[in-house]
């Protein structure tokens, strides 16, 4: 079964990891940032070695997001930076192929143990099965 495992963050968190803390997210120092990357890279190496990793990516800051919709006449309506003040958005993901929900939950628990400065926001790690079959007749 394939699963999408997602980590969350906010614009304030991205700024904090760049050393610009706020009331919502304390600034990270170089050692803290390195500890976070070391933790995530160890998970990536384990998942690659086990054959469970299909893809994984960190996403750019929420302030770089763009929404594209269309108006009543079909013209593009573009909104830049819609998440600048959002509480939490997808910050990165893993696309995994795991034997069971229990296994992917173990992996999500490892991800949730990622080191962060004291006082940093805590977000859940989101696990969603990939629906490869599409909607059924029911």
């Amino acid at each position: 079964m394939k699963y999408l495992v997602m980590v969350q963050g906010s614009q304030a968190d991205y700024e904090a990891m760049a050393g610009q803390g706020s009331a919502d997210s304390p600034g990270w120092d170089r050692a803290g940032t390195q500890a976070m990357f070391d933790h995530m890279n160890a998970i990536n190496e384990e998942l690659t070695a086990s054959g469970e990793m299909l893809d994984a990516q960190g996403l750019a800051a929420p302030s770089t997001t763009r929404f594209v919709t269309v108006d009543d006449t079909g013209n593009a309506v573009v909104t830049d930076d819609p998440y600048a003040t959002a509480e939490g958005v997808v910050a990165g993901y893993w696309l995994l192929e795991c034997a069971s929900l229990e296994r992917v939950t173990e992996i999500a628990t490892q991800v949730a143990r990622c080191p962060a400065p004291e006082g940093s926001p805590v977000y859940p790690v989101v696990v969603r099965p990939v629906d490869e079959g599409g909607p059924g007749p029911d």
Side-chain angles (χ1 to χ4, degrees):
M1 181 82 179
K2 291 181 184 167
Y3 296 91
L4 187 63
V5 177
M6 297 168 280
V7 292
Q8 298 176 319
S10 70
Q11 183 63 37
D13 298 324
Y14 279 79
E15 291 166 4
M17 286 189 286
Q20 303 166 4
S22 67
D24 297 323
S25 194
W28 293 50
D29 61 17
R30 183 176 296 270
T33 303
Q34 188 62 53
M36 182 267 299
F37 281 117
D38 290 347
H39 180 85
M40 294 302 188
N41 286 332
I43 291 170
N44 292 344
E45 289 171 9
E46 175 189 328
L47 295 171
T48 299
S50 70
E52 293 168 302
M53 171 86 79
L54 300 176
D55 187 29
Q57 299 292 325
L59 301 178
S63 62
T64 64
T65 303
R66 173 174 273 193
F67 279 161
V68 179
T69 58
V70 294
D71 63 19
D72 292 341
T73 62
N75 292 315
V77 178
V78 179
T79 305
D80 289 328
D81 195 12
Y83 289 127
T85 59
E87 299 264 335
V89 297
V90 176
Y93 69 89
W94 289 263
L95 180 59
L96 306 175
E97 187 155 7
C98 297
S100 66
L101 181 58
E102 290 75 22
R103 173 62 181 140
V104 76
T105 301
E106 290 173 9
I107 295 165
T109 301
Q110 281 183 278
V111 171
R113 290 186 179 125
C114 185
E118 189 171 321
S120 293
V122 176
Y123 301 98
V125 176
V126 179
V127 175
R128 295 197 54 195
V130 173
D131 182 4
E132 295 184 278
D138 296 339

